[in-house]
Amino acid sequence: MRNVVVVGSQWGDEGKGKIVDWLSDQADVVVRFQGGHNAGHTLVINGKVFKLRLLPSGIVREGKISILGNGVVIDPWALLDEIKDIKKQGINVTPENFMISESASLILPFHREMDEIREDAAGKEKIGTTRRGIGPCYEDKVGRRAIRVMDLRSESNLDKRLENVLLHHNAIRKGLKKKIFKKKELKEELLALAPKILKFAQPVWLKLDEFKKKRKKILFEGAQGILLDVDHGTYPFVTSSNTVPAMAATGSGCGPNTINYVLGITKAYTTRVGSGPFPTELTDEIGETLGRRGKEFGTVTARKRRCGWFDGVLVRQTIKISGITGIALTKLDVLDELEEIKMCIGYELDGKKLDYLPATSEDQFNIKPIYQTFPGWKSSTQGIRNIEELPEKAKKYIHALEDFIGCKVSSISTSPEREDTILIEDPFKA
């Protein structure tokens, strides 16, 4: 038995959907352990496209168990809509193949509104949030006033919990001259959807312990990327949860010894959605070419992604922070047309050279990348499934990337199609 954690090693959007789909075919159980419905995965199976926001990728495969762990924040309305949509595509979602941790916190309407209020008021200091209430819900969780899945089981308990959370939110809303939320109306809405949510609720930590004893293969599926981690990312331009692999244990209720392999999904260039520092960003024709060829638009938001050269310094840093075992290099084929390709191998700040990302956002905005330049291969790598068939210049770029970040490349993706992957090391068998 081997259990694998899949995380993004950059700012998210590294192509986790395809890799997770490939791994979920081997796994018995797929677990989401953090985030909410702000990060999407696009899966293409037998020509059919599935766009998932909250449901784990295993849900589209028969015989797999999909789980939302306690580290996930759940918008119950959005979840039920997603279940409804995926059922229209022929996917059955039942308590036998889908479970929700009874300890997971719920995103409520005032969380979504608070997200919008803050983002609109931020002006130039906008974080770039997806306005889905993720951050405000995590705040309530840490503030010990969140409504959790288990609270839907008891009307009297729900009443007390709503009293507590609305005392906080309505005080803020009064100060902002926004409408006050009425407990009675919100309670009625929650009690109406409670049976639809509670039928999936389980003590997930206990179920995972059972699966481990039965030697089931467990795949832990991360959302966003490590550079958006609330502790280790480009703070404050980050998400509201820990996106590092260690969160797989905390966010699902199993020990770190459950994790056997950490796979870091890594794009052959760099992208970022929303605001925040981006040392290698390209606002020229090359940046436009990367965006066009890579179809760089968000799965959930459809927002255009910012594009730039591969930042080896950042990826090397996330590998050290996260304990990544191997990387899955994605979208190599997007670089096929370029005359030359650059890789960031250091930074310059106030005349000094740095080999890591400084912690303050002021410094992160001011650093200048130091590049190593490689000749482009100017030939198609699309669909190649054997590393020996890659152009020599492409192989040299990959080997240089591997050497610089200090981590092996375990697979290379050469198109969005699941089969177009060069497999060097299988995480479940390594």
Side-chain angles (χ1 to χ4, degrees), residues 20 23-32 54-69 91-101 200 202-204 206-212 214-221 428:
V20 167
L23 289 170
S24 67
D25 193 27
Q26 299 182 64
D28 302 303
V29 182
V30 183
V31 184
R32 271 281 307 271
L54 192 56
L55 290 169
S57 299
I59 203 72
V60 299
R61 298 198 167 277
E62 285 188 30
K64 312 294 180 184
I65 296 171
S66 293
I67 295 175
L68 295 181
I91 303 298
N92 204 16
V93 181
T94 70
E96 283 66 48
N97 70 349
F98 178 56
M99 300 176 190
I100 303 171
S101 170
F200 300 115
Q202 294 273 6
V204 158
L206 189 58
K207 299 301 293 185
L208 285 173
D209 188 58
E210 289 176 15
F211 296 143
K212 284 162 63 179
K214 292 176 181 176
R215 302 187 66 76
K216 300 285 187 184
K217 288 181 183 175
I218 305 171
L219 176 64
F220 296 93
E221 177 184 7
F428 276 118

Side-chain angles (χ1 to χ4, degrees), residues 14 70 218 228 241 313 323 327 369 391:
E14 299 93 350
N70 54 275
I218 305 171
L228 292 175
S241 61
V313 180
I327 68 164

Side-chain angles (χ1 to χ4, degrees), residues 400-428:
L401 181 152
E402 194 175 39
D403 287 342
F404 184 81
I405 64 176
C407 187
K408 60 192 170 189
V409 173
S410 63
S411 64
I412 303 165
S413 174
T414 57
S415 95
E417 295 300 321
R418 182 171 170 268
E419 292 76 16
D420 293 340
T421 303
I422 299 168
L423 179 62
I424 300 164
E425 178 178 81
D426 187 334
F428 276 118

Side-chain angles (χ1 to χ4, degrees), residues 168-185:
H168 172 82
H169 279 273
N170 280 339
I172 296 172
R173 296 179 71 85
K174 279 181 186 176
L176 295 171
K177 296 182 170 55
K178 301 294 181 181
K179 77 175 178 80
I180 301 304
F181 269 86
K182 294 179 181 177
K183 181 181 71 173
K184 185 172 181 290
E185 291 176 7

Side-chain angles (χ1 to χ4, degrees), residues 349-375:
L349 178 66
D350 299 329
K352 296 178 182 178
K353 289 186 178 180
L354 295 176
D355 60 358
Y356 65 93
L357 183 74
T360 68
S361 60
E362 184 179 18
D363 288 344
Q364 290 169 3
F365 277 114
N366 290 328
I367 55 175
K368 304 298 180 189
I370 300 168
Y371 288 118
Q372 181 177 353
T373 302
F374 301 85

Side-chain angles (χ1 to χ4, degrees), residues 25-85:
D25 193 27
Q26 299 182 64
D28 302 303
V29 182
V30 183
V31 184
R32 271 281 307 271
F33 57 85
Q34 51 76 221
H37 63 307
N38 54 339
H41 286 170
T42 301
L43 310 179
V44 182
I45 299 174
N46 298 326
K48 188 180 282 191
V49 178
F50 298 95
K51 294 195 175 184
L52 304 177
R53 300 179 295 279
L54 192 56
L55 290 169
S57 299
I59 203 72
V60 299
R61 298 198 167 277
E62 285 188 30
K64 312 294 180 184
I65 296 171
S66 293
I67 295 175
L68 295 181
N70 54 275
V72 178
V73 287
I74 298 170
D75 182 323
W77 294 275
L79 175 60
L80 292 174
D81 283 345
E82 188 171 347
I83 290 172
K84 191 177 177 182
D85 289 343

